[in-house]
Amino acid sequence: MHIERDQELLHGLAANDDKSLETIYLENFPMIAKMVLQNNGSEDDAKDIFQEAMIVLYEKVREGGFVLSSRLKTFLYAVCRRLWLKKLQSSAFNGPIHEELEKTTAAEEALEAHLERDQQFRQMEEAMGKIGEPCKTILEEYYIHRKSMQEIAESFGYTNAENAKNQKYKCLMRLKKLFFAPYK
């Protein structure tokens, strides 16, 4: 029964329905706030953590094929707990941590994937920042603005689309090198 209702809320969330969002918030935020407050956090920390968990949930739901294998409450709690634990670890916090904060679940795997994508996105932005011109604009024109090679050739003064294509390839190789540099 609960799972069906949770699924309905998720469908609502995917459709950007404010009522579903509000219900999810009202039913789950107090529990998250309590967990964060018991573990050296503030109300604002709890709000930040909850918002980030909702983004993870929203992404999962929008991707499609997301099956809730537990109660929505359980999923959100696990993601929030993991986020809060990460925050405590990165802020050199040394106090005691309640042990229920230590367990890991499937929800956290979803979170890990989200954080990894986030990190890759930041690295890509950084690499694009370092790549320089004309590469940056050529790649943006092609991949973001969906311009044809012919249009790019014309606006950059290449003799033909083939030359523009070669330049784009060189730019991609350069971007790839910059993107993977932190992994070496």
Side-chain angles (χ1 to χ4, degrees):
M1 175 61 219
H2 286 306
I3 291 263
E4 283 162 27
R5 183 173 170 279
D6 286 350
Q7 284 293 7
E8 276 170 35
L9 285 173
L10 290 181
H11 288 307
L13 180 65
N16 288 315
D17 167 44
D18 290 341
K19 194 87 195 91
S20 297
L21 191 62
E22 193 182 326
T23 305
I24 294 171
Y25 179 81
L26 291 172
E27 289 181 3
N28 297 283
F29 182 70
M31 161 188 79
I32 300 309
K34 187 176 168 208
M35 183 259 299
V36 171
L37 289 166
Q38 281 176 346
N39 288 280
N40 300 76
S42 67
E43 183 89 15
D44 282 345
D45 290 327
K47 284 179 184 156
D48 291 347
I49 293 291
F50 191 77
Q51 193 174 1
E52 205 170 329
M54 286 301 292
I55 292 169
V56 172
L57 182 63
Y58 181 73
E59 279 182 352
K60 295 295 290 172
V61 171
R62 294 291 292 190
E63 275 168 17
F66 173 58
V67 181
L68 198 61
S69 56
S70 63
R71 293 288 318 275
L72 180 55
K73 218 180 197 68
T74 313
F75 180 87
L76 280 171
Y77 185 83
V79 171
C80 288
R81 193 189 71 219
R82 187 77 182 146
L83 283 167
W84 186 237
L85 201 54
K86 256 187 151 54
K87 189 165 181 173
L88 287 178
Q89 286 164 346
S90 68
S91 67
F93 161 77
N94 292 323
I97 293 174
H98 289 223
E99 72 216 36
E100 86 266 11
L101 215 57
E102 295 284 0
K103 300 180 203 122
T104 63
T105 63
E108 293 164 12
E109 286 161 23
L111 172 65
E112 288 301 325
H114 163 79
L115 294 172
E116 198 172 306
R117 257 208 321 280
D118 218 37
Q119 172 67 19
Q120 287 173 341
F121 190 72
R122 274 198 302 276
Q123 272 171 250
M124 181 55 78
E125 276 188 322
E126 220 173 277
M128 280 294 276
K130 289 179 189 161
I131 197 170
E133 295 299 353
C135 281
K136 186 176 189 289
T137 310
I138 289 175
L139 294 176
E140 282 173 353
E141 293 289 279
Y142 185 76
Y143 290 104
I144 298 169
H145 305 296
R146 304 271 180 235
K147 295 259 176 77
S148 71
M149 278 293 128
Q150 190 53 50
E151 290 172 300
I152 292 173
E154 284 161 20
S155 59
F156 283 89
Y158 292 108
T159 39
N160 56 37
E162 199 49 46
N163 287 355
K165 202 172 174 178
N166 287 338
Q167 183 57 49
K168 184 192 75 151
Y169 177 76
K170 286 178 191 161
C171 292
L172 270 180
M173 290 303 105
R174 196 141 111 225
L175 184 65
K176 198 169 159 187
K177 226 152 110 185
L178 286 167
F179 178 76
F180 287 109
Y183 296 108
K184 294 212 164 85

